[in-house]
Amino acid sequence: MRFTLGWLREFTPVEADPVALGELLSDLGLEVEDARVVGEVPEGVVVARVVEVRAHPDADRIRLVDVDAGDGRVLQVCCGASNMVADDLVALATVGTTMPDGLRIAARRMRGQESNGMLCSARELQLGDDHGGIMVLGTPATPGTPLAEALGLRPDVVVEVDVLPNRPDALSVLGVARDVAARLGLPFDSEVSPSVLQDGPLDGVDVTIEDPGLCGRFEVCVLDGVEVGPSPPWMAERLEAAGMRPINVVVDVSNYVMLELGQPSHTFDLARVPGGRLGVRRARPGERLVTLDGVDRELDSSDGVVVDGEDRVVALAGVMGGASTEIDGTSGSVLVEVAWWDPPSIAATSARLGLHSEASLRFKRGVDTAIGARALERIASLLVEHAGATVRPGVVRVEGDLPVPPVVALRPERVGAVLGESFDVPSIRSLLEPMGFSCAGEGDLLRVGVPTWRPDCSTEVDLVEEVGRMHGLSRLPRTIPVIAQAGGLSESQQRRRAIRRILLGRGCDEAMPLPFLAPGDLERCGLEPTGLALANPLVAEESILRTSLLPGLLGAVAYNAAHRADGVWLYEIGRVFEVGGGVLAATDSSVVASRVLDGEREHLAVVLAGEDAAAAVRLLEAVVEGVGVAPMVLTNRPLPGLHPGRSAEVDLAGVACGSVGEVHPDVLDRLGIAERVAWLQLDLGVVLSMPVPPRQALPVSRFPSTDVDLAFVVDDRIPAAAVGATVRSAGGDLVRRVRLFDVFRSDALGDQRRSLAFSVRFQADDRTLTDGEVAELRSRIIDEVTSTHDATLRG
Amino acid sequence: MSSAPDDPGSPLEELAALVADGVAEVAAVKRLDQLGELGGRLLGKRSRLSSIRAGLRDVSADERAELGAALHEARGRLEQAVEDRRRELARAETADRLARESLDLTEELGRGRIGHAHVITQTWERLEDVFVGMGFTVATGPEVETDWFNFEALNLPPSHPARSLWDTLYLRTDGLEGVDDEQLLLRTHTSPVQVRTMLRAVREGWGPPIHVVCPGRVYRRDTADATHLPVFHQIEMLVVDRHVTMADLAGTIEEFTKAYFGADLTSRLRPSYFPFTEPSAEVDISQPDGSWLEVGGCGMVHPNVLGACGLDPEEWSGFAFGFGIDRLAKIRHGIGDLREFVSNDVRFLEQL
């Protein structure tokens, strides 16, 4: 909502300090987006009469314009625009003028022709957005008159406020002024203008409301002899300041009153309304209307429409008029309509058609149910004054279902209980009444009548809010409630942070790709294309929810490699969404599952570009050791998207919860990644929820330990971890450490076989082991490994 | 200066010559391993010194005493010479090694590798820590939400005009049982976590009082540009108890302001509108240059929201305060374009 300070001051005598006003409005919940001075015409800009327009001998795009600036001399000015003809009155910045953008006008030559000043567009003078050409005055003026004087311009401040969606009343100058006056205790809206309309039957006009739920009120008057010319400059200026383009006096008056009072109106060319009869109903399926913007629209049975005497649709109720009854330059009699439309109906039509007008904005939020008569009066009087119109006696007023403003019970005690500051009845009244609320009753209960312009107030807490707002929220006391609980992070939240610290400590940066994928992304990464699709994606590239962190992280590797950063190590912690399991939670509060979609999981994934699977396994061990979940089992197995010979499933405490290995070379190829990429992924939700009892410390043995090295030749398919586990279990409690220190392949060992060399450390807590004991353990381990794994002891 | 072995002269003379020759030889040795060898030759079992000692039993008692003393002295002098030389050589060898091994340690600069947490995570954790310090716990919820939790329970019934404030991304529900179209969505704010927390507290009997913060990722149907992302992050504080007021809200925000932004800054509330709180307010934080920075929204939990969560609004009241984590990260670290957050460009990540 944009308006000028001068306009606001017509309703309340607020001081003209833009900064103070801005702070005041913001404190009232009318956040000021912008406040700037307009209508200041630089000194030296005068009205000039065009004498002749000639072509420039050496430049196609430049005109030579001879103007008379009032002193009788003819000045030649070069000009890039060509929208003026002889005898037009134009805006001339004379030599010596400083333009709003700081440019100083000097006499100069353009392509050899002299130019004594500059003809200005409205935008160059910051008098409007029109940059289509030179500003040509619509009203007579004497050449040489300062432009500001000729246009009747006075500097003003344009204020733009961000009106909250629950405050339709503030979509008008009147409404903003009401809040300002109430806060400052100023007089408000005290000027009474004489009435031009006369009650009584209106000749030649008839209105019927067929759908009273759609239309609460429909009021009509007729103005005869309307001359459709330009609006007076002050009105055009205010409209432009408000961001609306002046069209002609009829349209402009309608817009002006809408901005001023918040009541949109519609004007019909009476000659084009057969029989002067109008009706209000819902559209019928198949009906169409060409709206004022020239678009032929198909209507829906939920749309409200205005029809003429022949039941033809002439306007889309509350949203936009029809082209067939538009006022054009020739019309004489104008039918003016103001109505109150059912907000949800207007919102639905506006949304369905994607048609959002200043009128629909106000109607869908709720126009003052009682402002219609005043708006009609204001429109009529402005047209009488500025369009030479005469009022046809009589007014038609038809009512449908108009909401009745409620009377709300307000407990003064409740005001204090919510706001934290007590307000007695007199102070509550002094805050509410200036805004138009009426207060009756005393003591424990006030009965508050809500004004017709405040549809947002229907319950007690709405009034509490109004008391707080008018008092000033920033003036409330500030107290700190006692929190009788210890704050803290949960076990799993702390563990998530611990994992993050480990990854950071080992050099991984944290990535955060968008969680959306394009169709085909999952397949490209070797994964099943099972991602959930969005119903209303903005672009196809972001239309599918990820089921894995792999595509996003590989995308990041490729991006960095393309920017000459290879070898990046990245991790991500984020949600993935799998279809499997379906929907867990019901649609209401009866189930409070921790997730709605069973397949929504928190994953951790790491990509190590330039590293092989071994690096990922080492990182995995660090993470698992760091968080203390145990035991971990890796099972070699081909996994989707990963190198089939370099991938393993990760089991923690008996639960399958991740994968480790290397990304499949085909996947890397498809993504244009030239390096190997090691991969690690854990279902973090599972890992974080595993119980981790405090680790228990055992005494460290004071007795010497003995190391024995054993090398076994085993089939490639037997995992080293399995052999190691056998070594450990065969050695029993006295085995303190089993370390695989060498893996060796040779032709002599045979195809598909390799030697695994373990160093086994024995130690007892209570004695030094004898050579005999160690020998005994050694042979037990050899027997167990050779028999269990079809292994042979190497030399 | 040496005596030939076949011309020993008197044993005492020979000893003197042995010592003199030995000391000279020791002094000439250049390496520690050679010194060990020489030491063995001069002082070991098969040395001349040992054989002279073995010959002691063949001399007279008088001579034996004299020769024994001379032998002892000769061995002492040789041992001393070897030991002195060993020290000398060891020192030289160490000095030599140190010289060989000397490094320009600045060559190693720039090769250290430490990961960088995403600046959103850094900000997120920092915010959590401030709230934890104020006595809050941390609650999270799902990113795929139902319409009921995201809107309806928050006083936004279907067709509520204010729903248009959120550009919502919905999920296609074909292939999913038990849900209708437009029921599953990507949460547009972290407020549904408030609803879940209140419902759970009531159901499980542990609250109110409730004091939680709910950080999380939220979604909006928006094209990524310098100031918008379709995915961003919020954190919301929720307090529910008996007799909590707007003044408590203002005080709690002020305390947070000083803890997070700085002790010399302050906060202010401006009236606003959110369907799930009433009164509602925008929160501004003062800036060192005197301007105000709008950081988020807050308000008293709407009675309808309390009611939807099974709490009697006459008995319980609550307040909430929520804001964008990304925005705070952007401001704190001078980030010009929000798209940097999802670029995953290490040249961005590794600066922070």
Side-chain angles (χ1 to χ4, degrees):
Chain A
M1 171 77 192
R2 269 159 65 178
F3 56 87
T4 69
L5 187 51
W7 203 348
L8 188 73
R9 280 164 55 83
E10 288 184 8
F11 293 95
T12 189
V14 61
E15 298 231 0
D17 174 355
V19 176
L21 181 70
E23 273 172 21
L24 173 72
L25 290 172
S26 289
D27 194 54
L28 286 166
L30 300 164
E31 189 183 352
V32 174
E33 299 272 310
D34 191 24
R36 61 195 155 87
V37 176
V38 293
E40 232 173 11
V41 179
E43 206 177 321
V45 179
V46 299
V47 176
R49 187 176 62 83
V50 175
V51 178
E52 191 183 356
V53 181
R54 292 172 289 127
H56 189 292
D58 299 313
D60 289 347
R61 289 166 181 260
I62 301 178
R63 299 278 179 286
L64 300 179
V65 187
D66 291 333
V67 297
D68 164 14
D71 55 5
R73 287 192 304 130
V74 168
L75 281 177
Q76 175 176 296
V77 179
C78 294
C79 179
S82 55
N83 64 315
M84 60 297 205
V85 296
D87 286 334
D88 273 351
L89 295 175
V90 293
L92 171 72
T94 53
V95 170
T97 303
T98 303
M99 297 294 286
D101 64 1
L103 176 74
R104 213 176 139 75
I105 305 297
R108 61 197 191 102
R109 303 184 82 82
M110 289 175 82
R111 293 278 181 101
Q113 293 291 325
E114 67 177 34
S115 184
N116 301 295
M118 181 171 108
L119 301 185
C120 308
S121 71
R123 196 161 76 176
E124 282 161 342
L125 292 169
Q126 294 185 2
L127 294 176
D129 293 332
D130 192 357
H131 199 50
I134 292 312
M135 188 173 178
V136 177
L137 273 66
T139 45
T142 314
T145 314
L147 184 69
E149 190 183 310
L151 295 177
L153 291 179
R154 264 169 306 176
D156 203 345
V157 178
V158 176
V159 183
E160 178 168 9
V161 296
D162 190 9
V163 176
L164 297 166
N166 64 330
R167 291 291 309 279
D169 64 300
L171 289 170
S172 66
V173 179
L174 180 76
V176 173
R178 183 184 293 117
D179 261 13
V180 170
R183 167 63 75 82
L184 298 177
L186 296 174
F188 166 67
D189 194 21
S190 45
E191 218 165 288
V192 181
S193 33
S195 171
V196 295
L197 296 178
Q198 301 164 31
D199 276 340
L202 178 59
D203 216 23
V205 176
D206 179 46
V207 176
T208 353
I209 297 178
E210 285 179 35
D211 188 337
L214 168 67
C215 181
R217 179 179 277 155
F218 199 96
E219 294 165 86
V220 167
C221 71
V222 170
L223 293 149
D224 294 311
V226 176
E227 292 159 23
V228 185
S231 329
W234 61 266
M235 184 183 289
E237 182 199 346
R238 281 183 176 174
L239 288 173
E240 295 222 18
M244 299 189 101
R245 199 158 54 88
I247 311 280
N248 62 48
V249 68
V250 176
V251 176
D252 294 353
V253 162
S254 171
N255 285 334
Y256 187 84
V257 173
M258 173 177 70
L259 294 169
E260 184 170 83
L261 302 177
Q263 169 71 61
S265 57
H266 187 61
T267 49
F268 295 87
D269 183 343
L270 186 58
R272 295 175 167 200
V273 179
R277 288 207 306 276
L278 291 176
V280 174
R281 61 169 171 81
R282 301 276 174 178
R284 302 196 182 101
E287 277 186 316
R288 308 187 72 85
L289 173 69
V290 178
T291 41
L292 279 174
D293 54 6
V295 180
D296 185 3
R297 298 174 190 275
E298 179 162 353
L299 305 180
D300 182 275
S301 58
S302 63
D303 298 330
V305 291
V306 179
V307 296
D308 64 13
E310 289 163 11
D311 203 29
R312 280 185 316 220
V313 179
V314 292
L316 201 48
V319 179
M320 195 175 274
S324 68
T325 53
E326 188 179 2
I327 312 288
D328 60 29
T330 64
S331 40
S333 292
V334 170
L335 183 153
V336 183
E337 162 254 295
V338 298
W340 187 92
W341 302 105
D342 173 50
S345 299
I346 303 306
T349 295
S350 176
R352 189 181 69 75
L353 295 173
L355 190 54
H356 303 282
S357 61
E358 289 286 331
S360 70
L361 171 70
R362 285 166 177 78
F363 284 125
K364 77 182 182 190
R365 292 186 181 176
V367 165
D368 181 352
T369 52
I371 197 83
R374 178 171 172 183
L376 204 61
E377 187 76 59
R378 178 81 167 133
I379 291 167
S381 72
L382 285 171
L383 287 176
V384 166
E385 191 175 345
H386 300 290
T390 55
V391 174
R392 190 182 294 188
V395 175
V396 177
R397 293 202 164 89
V398 189
E399 283 204 11
D401 302 335
L402 204 59
V404 178
V407 175
V408 179
L410 175 63
R411 295 164 291 174
E413 159 273 309
R414 188 74 188 159
V415 176
V418 174
L419 297 180
E421 178 174 353
S422 297
F423 291 85
D424 59 15
V425 170
S427 48
I428 290 173
R429 293 183 69 146
S430 72
L431 290 164
L432 289 180
E433 284 173 348
M435 287 187 280
F437 293 89
S438 65
C439 299
E442 288 291 331
D444 292 346
L445 200 64
L446 280 174
R447 289 188 310 284
V448 180
V450 175
T452 52
W453 54 85
R454 291 301 300 268
D456 58 311
C457 291
S458 60
T459 62
E460 185 179 45
V461 71
D462 298 329
L463 299 178
V464 174
E465 179 174 56
E466 284 306 293
V467 171
R469 188 176 70 86
M470 202 37 72
H471 172 72
L473 295 180
S474 273
R475 290 165 60 199
L476 291 177
R478 294 178 175 192
T479 49
I480 294 174
V482 175
I483 301 186
Q485 74 169 25
L489 296 177
S490 70
E491 183 70 32
S492 65
Q493 287 160 354
Q494 292 182 48
R495 211 182 296 168
R496 184 186 291 105
R497 287 193 177 190
I499 290 175
R500 200 173 259 134
R501 279 197 299 273
I502 292 166
L503 294 166
L504 294 170
R506 295 183 66 106
C508 304
D509 290 329
E510 187 177 22
M512 218 173 258
L514 286 178
F516 305 121
L517 302 177
D521 280 354
L522 288 166
E523 293 96 314
R524 250 193 299 286
C525 290
L527 305 174
E528 289 290 310
T530 52
L532 279 164
L534 298 179
N536 58 338
L538 267 183
V539 285
E541 286 69 38
E542 296 171 4
S543 65
I544 292 172
L545 287 181
R546 62 184 178 188
T547 58
S548 161
L549 302 182
L550 181 62
L553 285 174
L554 287 183
V557 169
Y559 172 90
N560 280 296
H563 292 82
R564 296 165 40 101
D566 42 18
V568 297
W569 294 2
L570 298 171
Y571 80 89
E572 181 183 7
I573 292 176
R575 309 277 175 95
V576 301
F577 308 90
E578 289 156 10
V579 184
V583 173
L584 287 179
T587 51
D588 66 357
S589 64
S590 59
V591 177
V592 194
S594 57
R595 55 185 190 270
V596 172
L597 190 71
D598 184 42
E600 176 175 342
R601 301 295 163 90
E602 186 180 29
H603 277 190
L604 157 69
V606 186
V607 284
L608 305 173
E611 302 293 327
D612 63 12
V617 173
R618 289 195 294 269
L619 183 59
L620 171 66
E621 279 200 299
V623 169
V624 168
E625 171 66 17
V627 295
V629 283
M632 177 173 77
V633 175
L634 293 193
T635 311
N636 293 322
R637 117 173 358 158
L639 294 169
L642 301 186
H643 189 310
R646 293 184 173 200
S647 51
E649 188 179 275
V650 181
D651 279 45
L652 289 174
V655 182
C657 61
S659 61
V660 65
E662 238 173 271
V663 178
H664 198 296
D666 287 350
V667 171
L668 297 177
D669 248 17
R670 283 193 286 268
L671 296 170
I673 298 171
E675 323 162 78
R676 283 182 185 278
V677 177
W679 165 256
L680 164 61
Q681 178 253 308
L682 287 174
D683 187 328
L684 205 55
V686 173
V687 175
L688 296 182
S689 62
M690 284 178 173
V692 180
R695 297 186 213 198
Q696 302 298 307
L698 295 171
V700 174
S701 174
R702 293 178 292 107
F703 295 91
S705 58
T706 307
D707 286 354
V708 170
D709 291 352
L710 293 168
F712 297 101
V713 178
V714 293
D715 192 281
D716 275 346
R717 284 166 303 185
I718 296 166
V723 179
T726 306
V727 169
R728 191 173 276 279
S729 68
D733 289 347
L734 296 175
V735 174
R736 288 297 146 89
R737 196 186 76 186
V738 177
R739 194 162 57 84
L740 178 67
F741 69 90
D742 189 39
V743 179
F744 172 73
R745 286 184 172 79
S746 80
D747 293 343
L749 296 178
D751 196 23
Q752 312 272 312
R753 288 175 82 76
R754 86 282 199 206
S755 158
L756 301 172
F758 292 94
S759 168
V760 188
R761 176 164 292 177
F762 300 104
Q763 191 178 32
D765 290 330
D766 55 353
R767 65 189 188 283
T768 303
L769 292 174
T770 64
D771 291 349
E773 280 178 296
V774 172
E776 159 71 24
L777 289 166
R778 180 177 182 275
S779 65
R780 204 191 302 162
I781 289 171
I782 293 169
D783 288 350
E784 196 64 32
V785 170
T786 49
S787 63
T788 309
H789 299 295
D790 188 23
T792 53
L793 184 69
R794 185 156 169 254
Chain B
M1 98 170 138
S2 74
S3 307
D6 49 353
D7 181 20
S10 81
L12 288 179
E13 284 168 357
E14 188 192 353
L15 272 180
L18 263 179
V19 168
D21 291 353
V23 167
E25 261 189 283
V26 164
V29 164
K30 296 281 187 250
R31 286 183 6 223
L32 270 176
D33 54 341
Q34 289 168 345
L35 183 65
E37 208 178 289
L38 178 62
R41 206 147 35 82
L42 293 176
L43 295 158
K45 284 182 183 153
R46 287 161 52 178
S47 63
R48 182 63 192 139
L49 217 53
S50 295
S51 64
I52 294 173
R53 170 167 286 277
L56 267 184
R57 60 178 165 262
D58 300 329
V59 296
S60 70
D62 289 352
E63 281 176 318
R64 192 184 297 162
E66 191 184 359
L67 187 56
L71 260 173
H72 183 73
E73 196 204 330
R75 174 168 289 274
R77 286 186 55 193
L78 282 173
E79 281 177 351
Q80 187 63 49
V82 169
E83 181 55 27
D84 289 351
R85 186 62 181 155
R86 187 189 314 280
R87 286 210 186 131
E88 234 169 70
L89 285 178
R91 235 187 335 262
E93 207 153 283
T94 303
D96 192 42
R97 177 180 164 186
L98 293 180
R100 264 197 331 271
E101 289 185 349
S102 91
L103 293 176
D104 171 8
L105 295 188
T106 65
E107 289 170 9
E108 292 306 308
L109 287 175
R111 297 187 204 204
R113 187 157 199 170
I114 182 80
H116 296 74
H118 198 286
V119 67
I120 287 178
T121 302
Q122 293 180 32
T123 310
W124 174 320
E125 292 189 348
R126 202 184 158 84
L127 288 165
E128 277 182 347
D129 291 345
V130 168
F131 282 115
V132 161
M134 291 167 66
F136 288 81
T137 54
V138 179
T140 54
E143 292 175 14
V144 169
E145 264 296 3
T146 61
D147 183 273
W148 193 87
F149 279 105
N150 195 74
F151 289 126
E152 205 165 337
L154 290 164
N155 198 30
L156 279 153
S159 84
H160 191 291
R163 279 194 179 203
S164 61
L165 293 175
W166 292 271
D167 293 321
T168 310
L169 282 166
Y170 289 93
L171 264 59
R172 262 170 54 183
T173 50
D174 41 330
L176 289 172
E177 292 202 6
V179 277
D180 302 328
D181 285 352
E182 306 241 315
Q183 240 172 29
L184 281 193
L185 47 83
L186 290 167
R187 67 178 176 192
T188 56
H189 44 191
T190 44
S191 306
V193 186
Q194 294 187 14
V195 176
R196 289 176 176 276
T197 304
M198 283 187 270
L199 280 169
R200 199 173 293 144
V202 169
R203 194 140 319 161
E204 295 168 3
W206 53 262
I210 294 169
H211 302 88
V212 292
V213 287
C214 317
R217 170 174 275 195
V218 299
Y219 297 78
R220 129 175 92 190
R221 189 166 182 271
D222 222 337
T223 312
D225 63 26
T227 54
H228 296 87
L229 284 181
V231 174
F232 54 107
H233 304 81
Q234 291 182 336
I235 186 165
E236 269 186 43
M237 165 192 79
L238 171 70
V239 171
V240 181
D241 204 344
R242 290 188 173 87
H243 314 304
V244 294
T245 68
M246 193 94 188
D248 292 332
L249 169 60
T252 305
I253 288 174
E254 183 68 6
E255 191 180 46
F256 164 78
T257 301
K258 298 205 177 302
Y260 183 83
F261 290 96
D264 48 345
L265 299 179
T266 186
S267 59
R268 74 173 183 192
L269 304 186
R270 276 183 294 113
S272 189
Y273 170 72
F274 309 109
F276 28 84
T277 50
E278 189 161 13
S280 302
E282 300 285 346
V283 179
D284 294 341
I285 309 294
S286 66
Q287 296 298 290
D289 67 0
S291 65
W292 291 91
L293 172 73
E294 186 178 324
V295 295
C298 70
M300 301 303 293
V301 179
H302 197 284
N304 293 353
V305 176
L306 291 171
C309 296
L311 293 168
D312 177 1
E314 291 290 315
E315 182 181 0
W316 301 103
S317 55
F319 60 74
F321 168 35
F323 49 94
I325 295 174
D326 308 54
R327 188 169 146 69
L328 293 193
K330 178 178 191 273
I331 292 162
R332 185 180 190 92
H333 298 281
I335 295 159
D337 188 330
L338 285 184
R339 282 170 295 193
E340 300 277 24
F341 287 149
V342 293
S343 70
N344 305 304
D345 190 324
V346 293
R347 292 168 299 179
F348 171 74
L349 297 174
E350 293 184 354
Q351 292 179 61
L352 299 165

